[in-house]
Amino acid sequence: MVQTLLKRAATLFAVVALVAFAAPELAAQQINPTESSVQEEQLMRALQSGEAVSGRITIPDARAGDLIKPDNKNWAATHGGTVKTVNVVAILGMLALLVGFYMYRGKIRIDSGPSGRTIQRFNAVERFAHWLLAATFIILALTGLNLLIGRAVILPIVGESAFGTISAWGKIAHNYLAWPFMVALVIVFVAWVLHNIPNRLDIEWLKKGGGLFTKGSHPPAKKFNAGQKLIFWSVIIGGAALSFTGVMLLFPELAGTSAQWQLYQVIHAIVAGIMTAIIIAHIYIGSVGMEGAFDAMGSGQVDVNWAKEHHSIWVEEKLAREGRPAPSSGGAAPQPAE
Ligand code: HEM
């Protein structure tokens, strides 16, 4: 009973709004647009059958004339269904894979042990760009995920008031941090693109699984191995897709029709989920998963034995360029103070 009354009230409100503000000629099939007044039942039928109902308006934004758009329902269903599923499966799936990998392989050690001698791997500009990209991406990923699954996951834990505050600040952070993310993406692209062009070594590296699954196996690599190239191109292509669709979402008038805006929104959220899963694997290998890796982005100096095992050709070429003797097996050329 109460439900019926509420339904009727909502319908009446919709009719009044259309008549008062939009001077409507209802366009759905079963409603005659030239009829002088609109019957409540007609509107109710259109609401239930999910047909489009649009009115004639005099302001420039044509989309404001749409009262009911079936596309919106499809989009809402995709957003709450497929998009959520892709994100949850990609992220939880990657976490499960990494737990399995850790149980199988443990932490990847420097096989010949640390030499205690270091070599410069990344300069200050490269590290600044990397950490700007990393910090902004992590906040963007968390605040984006909050929009997608925060109601189900965070709200029950922190309560409505805190969730409201978190989400409001999260939305602001998401909108503004997108810009430094894009700047960092461009710097990273310019700095590393030449080192990430695929070559024949990559095929060998991939055939041997990068030596990641076998202790003591280290396929040769230059500055970046095939695995890192895959990360690099995922970040660049995924980041560019996120940037483009994100700008469209921020400025709907650039996006075109509302159907196009909705498409950008779905692409944005799916690319973000896949990229987040890939980056979780990257963070694992770049920190706790591999001995000696973090230093490359921490101090910029890596142990020479680590470099010899993971980037053998890069070490040889770099030392030759610097006029320092190539390291012998298990040892390394001393590093002058910089
Ligand atoms: C706490 C988080 C992170 C850690 C600990 C981390 C660590 C590292 C390390 C150690 C390297 C250098 C690897 C080497 O010497 O060869 C690296 C490279 C790189 N990082 Fe990160 N990173 C993090 C987050 C991110 C994020 C969020 C992104 C992008 C959205 C990113 C993108 C890259 C790219 C493109 C490279 C070069 C390719 C590669 O080495 O895979 N990193 N990172």
Side-chain angles (χ1 to χ4, degrees):
M1 178 67 186
V2 177
Q3 222 176 357
T4 319
L5 277 174
L6 280 174
K7 257 188 189 171
R8 282 180 169 244
T11 313
L12 270 174
F13 176 76
V15 174
V16 170
L18 264 182
V19 171
F21 300 116
E25 285 181 358
L26 295 174
Q29 276 170 11
Q30 72 270 55
I31 299 173
N32 178 0
T34 57
E35 225 168 20
S36 56
S37 69
V38 178
Q39 298 295 313
E40 184 192 334
E41 285 76 20
Q42 291 176 302
L43 204 52
M44 191 63 108
R45 265 205 310 277
L47 269 169
Q48 277 161 1
S49 66
E51 283 181 55
V53 175
S54 300
R56 194 185 61 210
I57 54 159
T58 51
I59 60 169
D61 185 0
R63 285 171 302 187
D66 298 328
L67 178 66
I68 304 168
K69 293 200 70 191
D71 291 353
N72 290 355
K73 289 189 178 171
N74 299 339
W75 167 71
T78 311
H79 189 254
T82 315
V83 170
K84 242 184 220 178
T85 311
V86 168
N87 271 263
V88 172
V89 169
I91 293 170
L92 292 184
M94 182 55 82
L95 288 172
L97 277 177
L98 289 174
V99 170
F101 180 69
Y102 180 76
M103 283 161 65
Y104 170 75
R105 181 68 164 90
K107 182 170 184 154
I108 300 171
R109 299 274 170 198
I110 302 175
D111 285 326
S112 48
S115 68
R117 283 163 289 185
T118 58
I119 184 168
Q120 175 145 37
R121 181 139 172 84
F122 294 113
N123 64 31
V125 175
E126 290 173 303
R127 282 178 283 138
F128 169 76
H130 174 268
W131 288 120
L132 182 62
L133 186 74
T136 50
F137 181 85
I138 290 169
I139 298 172
L140 288 166
L142 291 176
T143 51
L145 270 176
N146 183 49
L147 293 177
L148 203 61
I149 54 171
R151 271 187 159 276
V153 179
I154 313 283
L155 175 66
I157 301 170
V158 300
E160 279 186 4
S161 165
F163 181 67
T165 312
I166 291 171
S167 300
W169 281 106
K171 185 75 188 83
I172 293 170
H174 201 88
N175 289 356
Y176 285 98
L177 289 179
W179 303 100
F181 170 80
M182 288 186 244
V183 171
L185 194 66
V186 172
I187 306 176
V188 160
F189 176 75
V190 172
W192 293 337
V193 64
L194 291 180
H195 296 291
N196 280 285
I197 295 167
N199 59 37
R200 241 184 298 141
L201 284 172
D202 298 329
I203 298 167
E204 281 311 303
W205 192 95
L206 288 171
K207 272 190 195 158
K208 292 188 175 153
L212 291 174
F213 299 90
T214 332
K215 206 166 177 279
S217 152
H218 297 292
K222 294 193 172 186
K223 179 148 181 165
F224 292 118
N225 60 42
Q228 291 176 300
K229 288 179 187 179
L230 287 173
I231 300 277
F232 175 84
W233 287 111
S234 306
V235 167
I236 296 301
I237 296 168
L242 287 177
S243 304
F244 173 75
T245 51
V247 171
M248 292 299 124
L249 297 181
L250 274 177
F251 303 105
E253 61 278 11
L254 296 179
T257 64
S258 52
Q260 280 169 305
W261 187 92
Q262 288 165 357
L263 179 68
Y264 291 139
Q265 200 274 344
V266 169
I267 295 173
H268 191 81
I270 288 182
V271 171
I274 295 171
M275 204 168 139
T276 303
I278 294 172
I279 288 300
I280 289 173
H282 167 75
I283 293 176
Y284 170 76
I285 282 289
S287 58
V288 291
M290 179 186 278
E291 181 182 12
F294 185 83
D295 297 333
M297 280 302 167
S299 62
Q301 305 281 322
V302 289
D303 191 277
V304 176
N305 280 357
W306 176 89
K308 278 172 62 189
E309 288 178 10
H310 299 289
H311 302 277
S312 52
I313 301 177
W314 172 74
V315 178
E316 277 167 29
E317 287 178 355
K318 185 168 166 67
L319 290 175
R321 262 199 317 274
E322 292 172 2
R324 292 155 63 189
S328 58
S329 174
Q335 162 89 356
E338 293 194 42

